[in-house]
Amino acid sequence: LQGRKLPYQPVCLIAALFDTLLFGGIIFGWPSLDFVLKREGYFSSKCEIETGDLKNGTTVASSEKSLNCPSQDIALNLVYTLSTTIGGVSTFPLGYLFDRFGAWKFRTGSILTFILACTAIACSNKETSWLLYIAMPVVAVCSFAILTSNTPIGYFCVAAQATVISIIYGAFDSSAAVMVVMKIASQLGATVAEIFTFYGALLLLSLVYTFVLMPRMHVPFNVPDGYQYGVTECCCFNNPISSPQNTNTPNQSRRKRSGVSESTPLLANQGEEQKTFSSTLKDLSYWLNVLYLSILQLRLYVFYGTLNQWISTLTSNREQQSKYITAFGFIQLTGILIAPFSGVMTDMMTKYYRKSVTCSEQVVRKRGVCFTIGCTCLMATIFSALVLIPVLEIQYITFFVQNAARTFLYAGNGAFLATTFPSEHFGKLNGLTIGIASVVSLLTYPINILVLKVFGGSFVVVDSVFLGLCVLTFVHPVVL
């Protein structure tokens, strides 16, 4: 930020981080919310029927029902599967809407819809559990909308755009910890209605941030000096970016301040012969990336969606289960600390290969990002091996490794698409990649049924298959 003549820029960046942290990927904190929903008896009617059959019509304590109710687990897992899938598939249309309507209109619509979804959850109870099938997918979509609108804030940082954007993605990962706070509030006596009423009210802060600290339309990739946005646009100040004559000189001075020469393109793929969107889809490395992301995302989604059930196979103590679920949520907070390492690692390896080998720039970029992708494959493999060890204390390490793998997974995917393919196709390629991976993630639901109905609650077979699939993903970095 040194030398920049932009109003309240540090405040804007901090606000974007907190906005993403509070309202971003909260759906990935599902194990904690799953615990709360079971506590309040959501889908418990299925337990009464099933447990009554098992006990020959005798009365069973509610605590026993919550511990042994496969039908309830399946119903809640379906809510989670629909939410993550619809949220991921929505990234492509969300990107189009954001480009079409700009930040103010896009975020206003998203936040108001988010508030309506929170209101629906607050009005639900165990008799109207079906409302979760509608409200939670809407929450997931609006969370992805928050991430989509906050990511371009990284353009304000000239020399560290990739690092800042990685931190924003890390905040998206860490926002899963919001569900842990909800779980703690529930244990202190708060109801689902009170929790989501308060959370919906907090979203009004996000609405204020939209009009005070964000541009009306978009943050330009090359932000000129004196660029005005947020409250300055509300007050009808002149915006220099709208004047064509102002875009050249500020851009040149901006490049000089950031240490970039006039002959060096800001983007690694800028200045090269541009490919059409259809030609990029013929690139083998793109489809290997889709396969890699689909496998690892499915591995993670299955883990999140069945964490409570999996923990119960290691201990039947309800308090211990709650302890480990809370620990898992707090470990998710480390995503915002881990994320920058992914971007820094890619930048360092790219510079290393550019100096040490004589090959095309595209090959250099692929070699630079393959190191990060390889580390992701390694961490996912270690994580899949650790879950096969039936020792409860080891699972703290499991939680940390899976969190690092998830953070690197999405940061590495973004870096690969941004540096390997033309920048004008990034939004479409990113949306298509995550959309395909999210459709594959629908397998979370049948896998959960397979574990509960066929394998009797044992995860050994499923986890072993996933271990083999994680090893298979090493094909992608090797080919790169």
mmCIF file of all heavy atoms in Angstrom, residues 8-52:
data_model
loop_
_atom_site.group_PDB
_atom_site.id
_atom_site.type_symbol
_atom_site.label_atom_id
_atom_site.label_comp_id
_atom_site.label_asym_id
_atom_site.label_seq_id
_atom_site.Cartn_x
_atom_site.Cartn_y
_atom_site.Cartn_z
ATOM 1 N N TYR A 8 -8.898 5.359 2.333
ATOM 2 C CA TYR A 8 -9.213 4.292 3.295
ATOM 3 C C TYR A 8 -8.992 2.881 2.750
ATOM 4 O O TYR A 8 -9.772 1.970 3.005
ATOM 5 C CB TYR A 8 -10.652 4.442 3.817
ATOM 6 C CG TYR A 8 -11.708 4.789 2.780
ATOM 7 C CD1 TYR A 8 -12.297 3.797 1.991
ATOM 8 C CD2 TYR A 8 -12.115 6.106 2.591
ATOM 9 C CE1 TYR A 8 -13.250 4.117 1.048
ATOM 10 C CE2 TYR A 8 -13.068 6.430 1.640
ATOM 11 C CZ TYR A 8 -13.626 5.430 0.884
ATOM 12 O OH TYR A 8 -14.576 5.748 -0.063
ATOM 13 N N GLN A 9 -7.900 2.694 2.026
ATOM 14 C CA GLN A 9 -7.617 1.392 1.421
ATOM 15 C C GLN A 9 -7.363 0.288 2.447
ATOM 16 O O GLN A 9 -7.926 -0.811 2.325
ATOM 17 C CB GLN A 9 -6.433 1.515 0.477
ATOM 18 C CG GLN A 9 -6.155 0.288 -0.368
ATOM 19 C CD GLN A 9 -4.962 0.511 -1.267
ATOM 20 O OE1 GLN A 9 -4.168 1.403 -1.037
ATOM 21 N NE2 GLN A 9 -4.819 -0.295 -2.292
ATOM 22 N N PRO A 10 -6.535 0.525 3.487
ATOM 23 C CA PRO A 10 -6.313 -0.553 4.470
ATOM 24 C C PRO A 10 -7.603 -0.986 5.153
ATOM 25 O O PRO A 10 -7.810 -2.170 5.400
ATOM 26 C CB PRO A 10 -5.332 0.078 5.468
ATOM 27 C CG PRO A 10 -4.685 1.188 4.719
ATOM 28 C CD PRO A 10 -5.729 1.718 3.792
ATOM 29 N N VAL A 11 -8.478 -0.014 5.444
ATOM 30 C CA VAL A 11 -9.748 -0.339 6.094
ATOM 31 C C VAL A 11 -10.589 -1.227 5.185
ATOM 32 O O VAL A 11 -11.246 -2.174 5.636
ATOM 33 C CB VAL A 11 -10.524 0.952 6.439
ATOM 34 C CG1 VAL A 11 -11.863 0.616 7.085
ATOM 35 C CG2 VAL A 11 -9.705 1.831 7.372
ATOM 36 N N CYS A 12 -10.560 -0.946 3.893
ATOM 37 C CA CYS A 12 -11.324 -1.734 2.929
ATOM 38 C C CYS A 12 -10.839 -3.180 2.892
ATOM 39 O O CYS A 12 -11.644 -4.120 2.881
ATOM 40 C CB CYS A 12 -11.210 -1.110 1.538
ATOM 41 S SG CYS A 12 -12.148 -1.967 0.265
ATOM 42 N N LEU A 13 -9.527 -3.373 2.896
ATOM 43 C CA LEU A 13 -8.964 -4.723 2.855
ATOM 44 C C LEU A 13 -9.292 -5.508 4.121
ATOM 45 O O LEU A 13 -9.667 -6.687 4.066
ATOM 46 C CB LEU A 13 -7.451 -4.642 2.665
ATOM 47 C CG LEU A 13 -6.977 -4.076 1.327
ATOM 48 C CD1 LEU A 13 -5.469 -3.847 1.354
ATOM 49 C CD2 LEU A 13 -7.341 -5.000 0.191
ATOM 50 N N ILE A 14 -9.189 -4.843 5.267
ATOM 51 C CA ILE A 14 -9.507 -5.503 6.538
ATOM 52 C C ILE A 14 -10.988 -5.860 6.591
ATOM 53 O O ILE A 14 -11.373 -6.950 7.036
ATOM 54 C CB ILE A 14 -9.119 -4.590 7.729
ATOM 55 C CG1 ILE A 14 -7.595 -4.425 7.781
ATOM 56 C CG2 ILE A 14 -9.640 -5.160 9.041
ATOM 57 C CD1 ILE A 14 -7.124 -3.386 8.778
ATOM 58 N N ALA A 15 -11.831 -4.932 6.113
ATOM 59 C CA ALA A 15 -13.269 -5.194 6.108
ATOM 60 C C ALA A 15 -13.618 -6.371 5.207
ATOM 61 O O ALA A 15 -14.485 -7.184 5.535
ATOM 62 C CB ALA A 15 -14.023 -3.936 5.661
ATOM 63 N N ALA A 16 -12.932 -6.473 4.061
ATOM 64 C CA ALA A 16 -13.181 -7.593 3.149
ATOM 65 C C ALA A 16 -12.828 -8.928 3.803
ATOM 66 O O ALA A 16 -13.540 -9.922 3.645
ATOM 67 C CB ALA A 16 -12.379 -7.410 1.861
ATOM 68 N N LEU A 17 -11.726 -8.930 4.564
ATOM 69 C CA LEU A 17 -11.326 -10.150 5.259
ATOM 70 C C LEU A 17 -12.356 -10.560 6.312
ATOM 71 O O LEU A 17 -12.766 -11.722 6.387
ATOM 72 C CB LEU A 17 -9.950 -9.967 5.917
ATOM 73 C CG LEU A 17 -8.744 -9.942 4.990
ATOM 74 C CD1 LEU A 17 -7.471 -9.658 5.771
ATOM 75 C CD2 LEU A 17 -8.609 -11.272 4.258
ATOM 76 N N PHE A 18 -12.791 -9.586 7.124
ATOM 77 C CA PHE A 18 -13.761 -9.898 8.167
ATOM 78 C C PHE A 18 -15.116 -10.277 7.568
ATOM 79 O O PHE A 18 -15.818 -11.140 8.104
ATOM 80 C CB PHE A 18 -13.911 -8.717 9.123
ATOM 81 C CG PHE A 18 -12.890 -8.700 10.220
ATOM 82 C CD1 PHE A 18 -11.760 -7.907 10.132
ATOM 83 C CD2 PHE A 18 -13.058 -9.506 11.341
ATOM 84 C CE1 PHE A 18 -10.811 -7.903 11.140
ATOM 85 C CE2 PHE A 18 -12.111 -9.516 12.359
ATOM 86 C CZ PHE A 18 -10.986 -8.712 12.268
ATOM 87 N N ASP A 19 -15.478 -9.645 6.477
ATOM 88 C CA ASP A 19 -16.745 -9.969 5.807
ATOM 89 C C ASP A 19 -16.735 -11.410 5.321
ATOM 90 O O ASP A 19 -17.709 -12.155 5.510
ATOM 91 C CB ASP A 19 -16.965 -9.006 4.638
ATOM 92 C CG ASP A 19 -18.333 -9.166 3.997
ATOM 93 O OD1 ASP A 19 -19.347 -9.015 4.700
ATOM 94 O OD2 ASP A 19 -18.388 -9.445 2.790
ATOM 95 N N THR A 20 -15.618 -11.810 4.704
ATOM 96 C CA THR A 20 -15.493 -13.187 4.225
ATOM 97 C C THR A 20 -15.405 -14.165 5.386
ATOM 98 O O THR A 20 -15.971 -15.259 5.329
ATOM 99 C CB THR A 20 -14.248 -13.331 3.329
ATOM 100 O OG1 THR A 20 -14.270 -12.328 2.310
ATOM 101 C CG2 THR A 20 -14.206 -14.699 2.667
ATOM 102 N N LEU A 21 -14.719 -13.753 6.447
ATOM 103 C CA LEU A 21 -14.548 -14.626 7.606
ATOM 104 C C LEU A 21 -15.872 -14.909 8.308
ATOM 105 O O LEU A 21 -16.138 -16.028 8.759
ATOM 106 C CB LEU A 21 -13.560 -13.996 8.587
ATOM 107 C CG LEU A 21 -13.161 -14.820 9.816
ATOM 108 C CD1 LEU A 21 -12.444 -16.095 9.401
ATOM 109 C CD2 LEU A 21 -12.265 -13.996 10.733
ATOM 110 N N LEU A 22 -16.741 -13.894 8.386
ATOM 111 C CA LEU A 22 -18.015 -14.046 9.094
ATOM 112 C C LEU A 22 -19.104 -14.677 8.238
ATOM 113 O O LEU A 22 -19.950 -15.422 8.741
ATOM 114 C CB LEU A 22 -18.495 -12.682 9.591
ATOM 115 C CG LEU A 22 -17.743 -12.065 10.778
ATOM 116 C CD1 LEU A 22 -18.274 -10.671 11.076
ATOM 117 C CD2 LEU A 22 -17.866 -12.947 12.012
ATOM 118 N N PHE A 23 -19.092 -14.393 6.927
ATOM 119 C CA PHE A 23 -20.230 -14.787 6.097
ATOM 120 C C PHE A 23 -19.839 -15.621 4.871
ATOM 121 O O PHE A 23 -20.667 -15.857 4.001
ATOM 122 C CB PHE A 23 -20.985 -13.540 5.624
ATOM 123 C CG PHE A 23 -21.335 -12.596 6.737
ATOM 124 C CD1 PHE A 23 -20.761 -11.333 6.806
ATOM 125 C CD2 PHE A 23 -22.215 -12.978 7.733
ATOM 126 C CE1 PHE A 23 -21.078 -10.461 7.845
ATOM 127 C CE2 PHE A 23 -22.541 -12.117 8.769
ATOM 128 C CZ PHE A 23 -21.966 -10.848 8.827
ATOM 129 N N GLY A 24 -18.582 -16.062 4.808
ATOM 130 C CA GLY A 24 -18.131 -16.824 3.644
ATOM 131 C C GLY A 24 -18.543 -18.288 3.712
ATOM 132 O O GLY A 24 -19.722 -18.619 3.694
ATOM 133 N N GLY A 25 -17.572 -19.190 3.832
ATOM 134 C CA GLY A 25 -17.866 -20.615 3.743
ATOM 135 C C GLY A 25 -18.349 -21.248 5.030
ATOM 136 O O GLY A 25 -17.801 -22.265 5.466
ATOM 137 N N ILE A 26 -19.378 -20.682 5.648
ATOM 138 C CA ILE A 26 -19.850 -21.224 6.927
ATOM 139 C C ILE A 26 -20.423 -22.630 6.767
ATOM 140 O O ILE A 26 -20.452 -23.398 7.719
ATOM 141 C CB ILE A 26 -20.895 -20.300 7.583
ATOM 142 C CG1 ILE A 26 -22.167 -20.228 6.737
ATOM 143 C CG2 ILE A 26 -20.318 -18.923 7.833
ATOM 144 C CD1 ILE A 26 -23.322 -19.564 7.466
ATOM 145 N N ILE A 27 -20.870 -22.973 5.567
ATOM 146 C CA ILE A 27 -21.470 -24.293 5.350
ATOM 147 C C ILE A 27 -20.458 -25.407 5.623
ATOM 148 O O ILE A 27 -20.836 -26.536 5.970
ATOM 149 C CB ILE A 27 -22.033 -24.406 3.913
ATOM 150 C CG1 ILE A 27 -22.870 -25.696 3.754
ATOM 151 C CG2 ILE A 27 -20.906 -24.364 2.890
ATOM 152 C CD1 ILE A 27 -24.083 -25.751 4.609
ATOM 153 N N PHE A 28 -19.160 -25.095 5.511
ATOM 154 C CA PHE A 28 -18.138 -26.119 5.728
ATOM 155 C C PHE A 28 -17.867 -26.361 7.211
ATOM 156 O O PHE A 28 -17.037 -27.202 7.562
ATOM 157 C CB PHE A 28 -16.865 -25.749 4.983
ATOM 158 C CG PHE A 28 -17.083 -25.635 3.491
ATOM 159 C CD1 PHE A 28 -17.065 -24.405 2.865
ATOM 160 C CD2 PHE A 28 -17.350 -26.758 2.740
ATOM 161 C CE1 PHE A 28 -17.298 -24.294 1.500
ATOM 162 C CE2 PHE A 28 -17.587 -26.661 1.375
ATOM 163 C CZ PHE A 28 -17.559 -25.428 0.754
ATOM 164 N N GLY A 29 -18.564 -25.611 8.072
ATOM 165 C CA GLY A 29 -18.538 -25.909 9.499
ATOM 166 C C GLY A 29 -19.710 -26.791 9.887
ATOM 167 O O GLY A 29 -20.129 -26.804 11.048
ATOM 168 N N TRP A 30 -20.234 -27.527 8.905
ATOM 169 C CA TRP A 30 -21.439 -28.340 9.092
ATOM 170 C C TRP A 30 -21.394 -29.279 10.296
ATOM 171 O O TRP A 30 -22.407 -29.443 10.987
ATOM 172 C CB TRP A 30 -21.725 -29.135 7.823
ATOM 173 C CG TRP A 30 -22.910 -30.038 7.962
ATOM 174 C CD1 TRP A 30 -22.905 -31.387 8.168
ATOM 175 C CD2 TRP A 30 -24.292 -29.652 7.924
ATOM 176 N NE1 TRP A 30 -24.194 -31.865 8.253
ATOM 177 C CE2 TRP A 30 -25.063 -30.816 8.112
ATOM 178 C CE3 TRP A 30 -24.952 -28.427 7.745
ATOM 179 C CZ2 TRP A 30 -26.453 -30.810 8.128
ATOM 180 C CZ3 TRP A 30 -26.332 -28.413 7.766
ATOM 181 C CH2 TRP A 30 -27.068 -29.582 7.956
ATOM 182 N N PRO A 31 -20.271 -29.945 10.628
ATOM 183 C CA PRO A 31 -20.286 -30.857 11.781
ATOM 184 C C PRO A 31 -20.794 -30.198 13.056
ATOM 185 O O PRO A 31 -21.514 -30.824 13.835
ATOM 186 C CB PRO A 31 -18.813 -31.280 11.909
ATOM 187 C CG PRO A 31 -18.293 -31.193 10.517
ATOM 188 C CD PRO A 31 -18.976 -29.990 9.922
ATOM 189 N N SER A 32 -20.441 -28.927 13.280
ATOM 190 C CA SER A 32 -20.904 -28.228 14.483
ATOM 191 C C SER A 32 -22.401 -27.946 14.407
ATOM 192 O O SER A 32 -23.133 -28.119 15.391
ATOM 193 C CB SER A 32 -20.134 -26.913 14.659
ATOM 194 O OG SER A 32 -18.763 -27.154 14.868
ATOM 195 N N LEU A 33 -22.885 -27.504 13.243
ATOM 196 C CA LEU A 33 -24.317 -27.227 13.101
ATOM 197 C C LEU A 33 -25.113 -28.526 13.160
ATOM 198 O O LEU A 33 -26.220 -28.562 13.718
ATOM 199 C CB LEU A 33 -24.590 -26.497 11.787
ATOM 200 C CG LEU A 33 -26.049 -26.093 11.555
ATOM 201 C CD1 LEU A 33 -26.519 -25.144 12.643
ATOM 202 C CD2 LEU A 33 -26.225 -25.453 10.180
ATOM 203 N N ASP A 34 -24.557 -29.582 12.586
ATOM 204 C CA ASP A 34 -25.205 -30.892 12.646
ATOM 205 C C ASP A 34 -25.437 -31.305 14.098
ATOM 206 O O ASP A 34 -26.498 -31.822 14.463
ATOM 207 C CB ASP A 34 -24.315 -31.912 11.922
ATOM 208 C CG ASP A 34 -24.898 -33.318 11.940
ATOM 209 O OD1 ASP A 34 -25.812 -33.590 11.143
ATOM 210 O OD2 ASP A 34 -24.436 -34.141 12.749
ATOM 211 N N PHE A 35 -24.457 -31.040 14.940
ATOM 212 C CA PHE A 35 -24.554 -31.338 16.372
ATOM 213 C C PHE A 35 -25.697 -30.547 17.003
ATOM 214 O O PHE A 35 -26.477 -31.086 17.802
ATOM 215 C CB PHE A 35 -23.219 -30.996 17.045
ATOM 216 C CG PHE A 35 -23.082 -31.501 18.453
ATOM 217 C CD1 PHE A 35 -22.509 -32.737 18.703
ATOM 218 C CD2 PHE A 35 -23.510 -30.732 19.524
ATOM 219 C CE1 PHE A 35 -22.375 -33.207 20.005
ATOM 220 C CE2 PHE A 35 -23.383 -31.194 20.821
ATOM 221 C CZ PHE A 35 -22.812 -32.437 21.067
ATOM 222 N N VAL A 36 -25.811 -29.266 16.654
ATOM 223 C CA VAL A 36 -26.858 -28.398 17.203
ATOM 224 C C VAL A 36 -28.241 -28.846 16.737
ATOM 225 O O VAL A 36 -29.200 -28.896 17.528
ATOM 226 C CB VAL A 36 -26.608 -26.934 16.805
ATOM 227 C CG1 VAL A 36 -27.775 -26.040 17.241
ATOM 228 C CG2 VAL A 36 -25.308 -26.426 17.407
ATOM 229 N N LEU A 37 -28.356 -29.164 15.453
ATOM 230 C CA LEU A 37 -29.655 -29.563 14.903
ATOM 231 C C LEU A 37 -30.139 -30.875 15.526
ATOM 232 O O LEU A 37 -31.337 -31.034 15.810
ATOM 233 C CB LEU A 37 -29.553 -29.694 13.381
ATOM 234 C CG LEU A 37 -29.283 -28.391 12.612
ATOM 235 C CD1 LEU A 37 -29.045 -28.679 11.136
ATOM 236 C CD2 LEU A 37 -30.430 -27.399 12.786
ATOM 237 N N LYS A 38 -29.221 -31.801 15.747
ATOM 238 C CA LYS A 38 -29.604 -33.047 16.423
ATOM 239 C C LYS A 38 -30.035 -32.772 17.852
ATOM 240 O O LYS A 38 -30.983 -33.377 18.360
ATOM 241 C CB LYS A 38 -28.425 -34.033 16.413
ATOM 242 C CG LYS A 38 -28.147 -34.672 15.068
ATOM 243 C CD LYS A 38 -27.005 -35.661 15.175
ATOM 244 C CE LYS A 38 -26.732 -36.327 13.827
ATOM 245 N NZ LYS A 38 -25.587 -37.264 13.900
ATOM 246 N N ARG A 39 -29.372 -31.823 18.478
ATOM 247 C CA ARG A 39 -29.689 -31.464 19.866
ATOM 248 C C ARG A 39 -31.118 -30.945 19.976
ATOM 249 O O ARG A 39 -31.796 -31.182 20.978
ATOM 250 C CB ARG A 39 -28.679 -30.402 20.330
ATOM 251 C CG ARG A 39 -28.815 -29.956 21.783
ATOM 252 C CD ARG A 39 -27.882 -28.786 22.030
ATOM 253 N NE ARG A 39 -27.937 -28.320 23.395
ATOM 254 C CZ ARG A 39 -27.110 -28.675 24.359
ATOM 255 N NH1 ARG A 39 -26.149 -29.534 24.102
ATOM 256 N NH2 ARG A 39 -27.227 -28.189 25.579
ATOM 257 N N GLU A 40 -31.566 -30.235 18.935
ATOM 258 C CA GLU A 40 -32.922 -29.673 18.955
ATOM 259 C C GLU A 40 -33.943 -30.579 18.272
ATOM 260 O O GLU A 40 -35.095 -30.185 18.100
ATOM 261 C CB GLU A 40 -32.917 -28.280 18.325
ATOM 262 C CG GLU A 40 -32.107 -27.275 19.107
ATOM 263 C CD GLU A 40 -32.649 -25.859 19.011
ATOM 264 O OE1 GLU A 40 -33.726 -25.647 18.404
ATOM 265 O OE2 GLU A 40 -31.993 -24.951 19.545
ATOM 266 N N GLY A 41 -33.527 -31.752 17.848
ATOM 267 C CA GLY A 41 -34.473 -32.744 17.369
ATOM 268 C C GLY A 41 -34.902 -32.628 15.926
ATOM 269 O O GLY A 41 -35.958 -33.158 15.549
ATOM 270 N N TYR A 42 -34.116 -31.957 15.078
ATOM 271 C CA TYR A 42 -34.460 -31.874 13.661
ATOM 272 C C TYR A 42 -34.430 -33.276 13.039
ATOM 273 O O TYR A 42 -33.493 -34.042 13.267
ATOM 274 C CB TYR A 42 -33.502 -30.948 12.930
ATOM 275 C CG TYR A 42 -33.833 -29.480 13.129
ATOM 276 C CD1 TYR A 42 -33.525 -28.834 14.324
ATOM 277 C CD2 TYR A 42 -34.462 -28.748 12.133
ATOM 278 C CE1 TYR A 42 -33.823 -27.491 14.510
ATOM 279 C CE2 TYR A 42 -34.767 -27.405 12.304
ATOM 280 C CZ TYR A 42 -34.445 -26.778 13.502
ATOM 281 O OH TYR A 42 -34.758 -25.456 13.689
ATOM 282 N N PHE A 43 -35.466 -33.592 12.280
ATOM 283 C CA PHE A 43 -35.655 -34.904 11.655
ATOM 284 C C PHE A 43 -35.724 -36.026 12.696
ATOM 285 O O PHE A 43 -35.437 -37.185 12.403
ATOM 286 C CB PHE A 43 -34.525 -35.206 10.651
ATOM 287 C CG PHE A 43 -34.440 -34.224 9.517
ATOM 288 C CD1 PHE A 43 -33.439 -33.253 9.492
ATOM 289 C CD2 PHE A 43 -35.363 -34.253 8.476
ATOM 290 C CE1 PHE A 43 -33.357 -32.340 8.453
ATOM 291 C CE2 PHE A 43 -35.279 -33.341 7.439
ATOM 292 C CZ PHE A 43 -34.280 -32.380 7.417
ATOM 293 N N SER A 44 -36.102 -35.679 13.928
ATOM 294 C CA SER A 44 -36.152 -36.691 14.992
ATOM 295 C C SER A 44 -37.330 -37.632 14.836
ATOM 296 O O SER A 44 -37.355 -38.703 15.453
ATOM 297 C CB SER A 44 -36.217 -36.008 16.366
ATOM 298 O OG SER A 44 -37.362 -35.171 16.446
ATOM 299 N N SER A 45 -38.344 -37.256 14.033
ATOM 300 C CA SER A 45 -39.474 -38.152 13.815
ATOM 301 C C SER A 45 -39.009 -39.470 13.201
ATOM 302 O O SER A 45 -39.556 -40.540 13.471
ATOM 303 C CB SER A 45 -40.519 -37.498 12.906
ATOM 304 O OG SER A 45 -39.944 -37.163 11.648
ATOM 305 N N LYS A 46 -37.961 -39.404 12.380
ATOM 306 C CA LYS A 46 -37.396 -40.614 11.790
ATOM 307 C C LYS A 46 -36.779 -41.500 12.871
ATOM 308 O O LYS A 46 -36.823 -42.723 12.795
ATOM 309 C CB LYS A 46 -36.346 -40.245 10.745
ATOM 310 C CG LYS A 46 -36.900 -39.416 9.586
ATOM 311 C CD LYS A 46 -35.790 -39.031 8.623
ATOM 312 C CE LYS A 46 -36.339 -38.198 7.464
ATOM 313 N NZ LYS A 46 -37.254 -38.984 6.603
ATOM 314 N N CYS A 47 -36.212 -40.873 13.902
ATOM 315 C CA CYS A 47 -35.595 -41.625 14.988
ATOM 316 C C CYS A 47 -36.649 -42.358 15.799
ATOM 317 O O CYS A 47 -36.461 -43.495 16.198
ATOM 318 C CB CYS A 47 -34.836 -40.689 15.921
ATOM 319 S SG CYS A 47 -33.445 -39.865 15.148
ATOM 320 N N GLU A 48 -37.773 -41.714 16.057
ATOM 321 C CA GLU A 48 -38.827 -42.313 16.876
ATOM 322 C C GLU A 48 -39.362 -43.585 16.224
ATOM 323 O O GLU A 48 -39.566 -44.593 16.872
ATOM 324 C CB GLU A 48 -39.951 -41.301 17.089
ATOM 325 C CG GLU A 48 -39.544 -40.132 17.957
ATOM 326 C CD GLU A 48 -40.573 -39.023 17.955
ATOM 327 O OE1 GLU A 48 -41.618 -39.183 17.294
ATOM 328 O OE2 GLU A 48 -40.310 -37.998 18.613
ATOM 329 N N ILE A 49 -39.553 -43.536 14.923
ATOM 330 C CA ILE A 49 -40.057 -44.707 14.219
ATOM 331 C C ILE A 49 -39.013 -45.810 14.214
ATOM 332 O O ILE A 49 -39.270 -46.950 14.582
ATOM 333 C CB ILE A 49 -40.450 -44.347 12.773
ATOM 334 C CG1 ILE A 49 -41.601 -43.344 12.790
ATOM 335 C CG2 ILE A 49 -40.826 -45.589 11.989
ATOM 336 C CD1 ILE A 49 -41.931 -42.774 11.417
ATOM 337 N N GLU A 50 -37.792 -45.438 13.853
ATOM 338 C CA GLU A 50 -36.733 -46.443 13.703
ATOM 339 C C GLU A 50 -36.336 -47.045 15.044
ATOM 340 O O GLU A 50 -36.239 -48.252 15.207
ATOM 341 C CB GLU A 50 -35.514 -45.790 13.045
ATOM 342 C CG GLU A 50 -34.385 -46.752 12.808
ATOM 343 C CD GLU A 50 -33.287 -46.102 11.995
ATOM 344 O OE1 GLU A 50 -33.506 -45.015 11.463
ATOM 345 O OE2 GLU A 50 -32.219 -46.713 11.902
ATOM 346 N N THR A 51 -36.157 -46.180 16.073
ATOM 347 C CA THR A 51 -35.728 -46.685 17.360
ATOM 348 C C THR A 51 -36.831 -47.494 18.023
ATOM 349 O O THR A 51 -36.574 -48.468 18.715
ATOM 350 C CB THR A 51 -35.314 -45.506 18.274
ATOM 351 O OG1 THR A 51 -34.450 -44.653 17.553
ATOM 352 C CG2 THR A 51 -34.607 -46.016 19.507
ATOM 353 N N GLY A 52 -38.085 -47.105 17.764
ATOM 354 C CA GLY A 52 -39.203 -47.867 18.309
ATOM 355 C C GLY A 52 -39.215 -49.279 17.762
ATOM 356 O O GLY A 52 -39.493 -50.245 18.479
#
